Coordinates of all heavy atoms in Angstrom, one line a residue:
N259 N -172.6 -31.5 78.0 CA -171.5 -30.7 78.6 C -171.9 -29.2 78.6 O -172.7 -28.7 77.9 CB -170.2 -30.9 77.8 CG -169.5 -32.2 78.2 OD1 -170.1 -32.9 79.0 ND2 -168.4 -32.4 77.6
I260 N -171.2 -28.4 79.4 CA -171.5 -27.0 79.5 C -170.2 -26.2 79.3 O -169.0 -26.8 79.6 CB -172.1 -26.6 80.8 CG1 -171.3 -27.1 82.1 CG2 -173.4 -27.3 81.0 CD1 -171.8 -26.6 83.4
H261 N -170.4 -24.9 79.0 CA -169.3 -24.0 78.9 C -169.6 -22.8 79.9 O -170.7 -22.4 80.1 CB -169.2 -23.3 77.5 CG -168.8 -24.3 76.5 ND1 -168.9 -24.1 75.2 CD2 -168.3 -25.5 76.5 CE1 -168.4 -25.1 74.4 NE2 -168.1 -26.0 75.3
V262 N -168.5 -22.3 80.5 CA -168.5 -21.2 81.5 C -167.8 -20.0 80.9 O -166.6 -20.2 80.6 CB -168.0 -21.7 82.8 CG1 -168.0 -20.5 83.8 CG2 -168.8 -22.8 83.5
V263 N -168.4 -19.0 81.0 CA -167.7 -17.7 80.6 C -167.8 -16.7 81.8 O -169.1 -16.4 82.1 CB -168.2 -17.1 79.3 CG1 -167.4 -15.7 79.0 CG2 -167.9 -18.1 78.1
I264 N -166.8 -16.1 82.2 CA -166.9 -15.1 83.2 C -166.2 -13.9 82.9 O -165.1 -13.9 82.4 CB -166.2 -15.6 84.6 CG1 -166.9 -17.0 85.0 CG2 -166.2 -14.6 85.7 CD1 -166.1 -17.7 86.2
V265 N -166.9 -12.8 83.1 CA -166.3 -11.5 82.8 C -166.2 -10.7 84.2 O -167.2 -10.6 84.9 CB -167.2 -10.7 81.8 CG1 -166.6 -9.2 81.6 CG2 -167.3 -11.3 80.5
S266 N -165.0 -10.4 84.5 CA -164.8 -9.9 85.9 C -163.6 -9.0 85.9 O -162.6 -9.3 85.4 CB -164.6 -11.0 86.9 OG -164.3 -10.5 88.2
P267 N -163.8 -7.9 86.6 CA -162.6 -6.9 86.9 C -161.5 -7.6 87.6 O -160.3 -7.2 87.6 CB -163.1 -5.8 87.6 CG -164.6 -5.9 87.5 CD -165.0 -7.3 87.3
K268 N -161.8 -8.7 88.3 CA -160.9 -9.5 89.1 C -159.8 -10.2 88.1 O -158.7 -10.6 88.6 CB -161.5 -10.6 89.9 CG -162.4 -10.0 91.0 CD -163.2 -11.0 91.6 CE -164.1 -10.3 92.7 NZ -165.3 -11.1 93.0
F269 N -160.0 -10.2 86.9 CA -159.1 -10.8 85.9 C -158.1 -9.8 85.4 O -157.2 -10.2 84.6 CB -159.8 -11.5 84.8 CG -160.6 -12.8 85.2 CD1 -161.9 -12.9 84.8 CD2 -160.0 -13.8 85.8 CE1 -162.7 -14.0 85.1 CE2 -160.7 -14.9 86.1 CZ -162.1 -15.0 85.8
S270 N -158.3 -8.6 85.7 CA -157.5 -7.5 85.1 C -155.9 -7.7 85.5 O -155.7 -8.0 86.8 CB -157.9 -6.1 85.6 OG -159.2 -5.8 85.2
G271 N -155.1 -7.7 84.6 CA -153.6 -7.9 84.8 C -153.2 -9.3 85.0 O -152.0 -9.5 85.4
K272 N -154.1 -10.2 85.0 CA -153.7 -11.7 85.3 C -153.5 -12.3 83.9 O -154.0 -12.0 82.9 CB -154.9 -12.4 86.1 CG -155.2 -11.7 87.4 CD -155.6 -12.8 88.3 CE -156.0 -12.3 89.6 NZ -155.4 -11.0 90.2
R273 N -152.4 -13.2 84.1 CA -152.2 -14.2 83.0 C -153.3 -15.2 82.8 O -154.0 -15.4 83.6 CB -150.8 -14.9 83.1 CG -149.7 -13.8 83.1 CD -148.4 -14.6 83.4 NE -148.4 -15.6 84.4 CZ -147.7 -15.5 85.5 NH1 -146.7 -14.7 85.5 NH2 -147.8 -16.6 86.3
L274 N -153.3 -15.9 81.6 CA -154.3 -16.8 81.3 C -154.2 -18.1 82.4 O -155.3 -18.4 82.9 CB -154.0 -17.5 80.0 CG -155.0 -18.7 79.5 CD1 -156.4 -18.1 79.6 CD2 -154.5 -19.2 78.1
S275 N -153.1 -18.4 82.8 CA -153.0 -19.5 83.8 C -153.6 -19.2 85.2 O -154.2 -19.8 85.9 CB -151.6 -20.0 84.0 OG -150.7 -18.9 84.4
E276 N -153.4 -17.9 85.5 CA -154.0 -17.3 86.8 C -155.5 -17.2 86.7 O -156.2 -17.6 87.6 CB -153.4 -15.9 87.1 CG -152.0 -15.9 87.3 CD -151.4 -14.5 87.5 OE1 -151.6 -13.7 86.6 OE2 -150.6 -14.3 88.5
K277 N -156.0 -16.9 85.5 CA -157.5 -16.8 85.4 C -158.0 -18.2 85.5 O -159.1 -18.4 86.2 CB -157.8 -16.1 84.0 CG -157.5 -14.7 83.9 CD -157.8 -14.3 82.4 CE -157.1 -13.0 82.2 NZ -157.3 -12.6 80.8
T278 N -157.5 -19.1 84.7 CA -157.9 -20.5 84.7 C -157.9 -21.0 86.2 O -158.8 -21.8 86.6 CB -157.0 -21.4 83.9 OG1 -157.2 -20.8 82.5 CG2 -157.5 -22.8 83.8
D279 N -156.8 -20.8 86.9 CA -156.7 -21.3 88.4 C -157.8 -20.7 89.2 O -158.4 -21.4 90.0 CB -155.3 -20.9 89.0 CG -154.2 -21.7 88.3 OD1 -154.5 -22.7 87.7 OD2 -152.9 -21.3 88.5
L280 N -158.2 -19.4 89.0 CA -159.2 -18.8 89.8 C -160.6 -19.6 89.6 O -161.3 -19.8 90.4 CB -159.4 -17.2 89.5 CG -158.4 -16.4 90.0 CD1 -158.5 -14.9 89.5 CD2 -158.4 -16.4 91.6
I281 N -160.9 -19.8 88.2 CA -162.1 -20.4 87.9 C -162.1 -21.8 88.4 O -163.2 -22.3 89.0 CB -162.3 -20.4 86.4 CG1 -162.4 -18.9 85.9 CG2 -163.6 -21.2 86.0 CD1 -162.4 -18.8 84.4
L282 N -161.0 -22.6 88.2 CA -161.0 -24.0 88.5 C -161.1 -24.1 90.0 O -161.8 -25.2 90.5 CB -159.9 -24.7 88.0 CG -159.8 -24.7 86.4 CD1 -158.6 -25.5 85.9 CD2 -161.1 -25.4 85.8
S283 N -160.5 -23.2 90.8 CA -160.6 -23.4 92.3 C -162.0 -23.3 92.7 O -162.4 -23.9 93.7 CB -159.7 -22.3 92.9 OG -160.1 -21.1 92.7
E284 N -162.8 -22.5 92.2 CA -164.3 -22.5 92.5 C -165.0 -23.7 92.0 O -165.9 -24.2 92.7 CB -164.9 -21.2 91.8 CG -164.4 -19.9 92.5 CD -164.8 -19.8 93.9 OE1 -166.0 -19.8 94.3 OE2 -163.8 -19.7 94.8
L285 N -164.7 -24.2 90.8 CA -165.3 -25.3 90.2 C -165.1 -26.6 91.0 O -165.9 -27.6 90.9 CB -165.1 -25.4 88.8 CG -165.7 -24.3 87.8 CD1 -165.3 -24.6 86.5 CD2 -167.3 -24.4 88.1
Q286 N -164.0 -26.6 91.7 CA -163.7 -27.8 92.6 C -164.7 -28.1 93.6 O -164.7 -29.3 94.1 CB -162.3 -27.6 93.1 CG -161.1 -27.7 92.2 CD -159.8 -27.6 92.8 OE1 -159.6 -27.1 94.0 NE2 -158.8 -27.9 92.1

């Protein structure tokens, strides 16, 4: 298995659920 960590200004001001949705939408 793998772990993904992203550091991005695009996460500024976003809630945890919004951040997760952004990542998962790409991983789909």
